[in-house]
Amino acid sequence: MDTPSRMKVFRVMVGLSQGALADRIHSHQIRVSRIERGVGSPPDPNEASAIAEALGVSVVELFPNLGRSLLYE
């Protein structure tokens, strides 16, 4: 499963709308939508961490490629 699909699945599993997730990470619904669709820039490490925390998963679980690169910095 690709990252955008994974993010949406986790978001729906915890019962959050895109707007509610955006509020939790101090962002905008449009940004959450773009990340879920794989449009525009990927989340930066701080944003990825906030999203993962809001969804109750690890960064590596949610963003495997980003998570691995963070482990080796």
Side-chain angles (χ1 to χ4, degrees):
M1 181 182 318
D2 63 351
T3 296
S5 298
R6 185 178 294 109
M7 183 173 153
K8 182 176 181 179
V9 167
F10 284 126
R11 179 179 58 75
V12 170
M13 284 175 54
V14 297
L16 293 176
S17 66
Q18 288 180 342
L21 176 58
D23 288 344
R24 285 192 182 188
I25 64 170
H26 308 289
S27 188
H28 300 277
Q29 181 273 328
I30 292 169
R31 177 65 178 141
V32 170
S33 174
R34 292 178 132 251
I35 295 170
E36 283 190 357
R37 291 181 291 128
V39 175
S41 61
D44 65 41
N46 291 330
E47 189 176 38
S49 179
I51 294 167
E53 184 177 331
L55 297 177
V57 297
S58 71
V59 173
V60 173
E61 191 174 8
L62 186 57
F63 302 104
N65 295 332
L66 178 63
R68 280 191 211 102
S69 68
L70 293 175
L71 293 173
Y72 298 106
E73 288 185 350

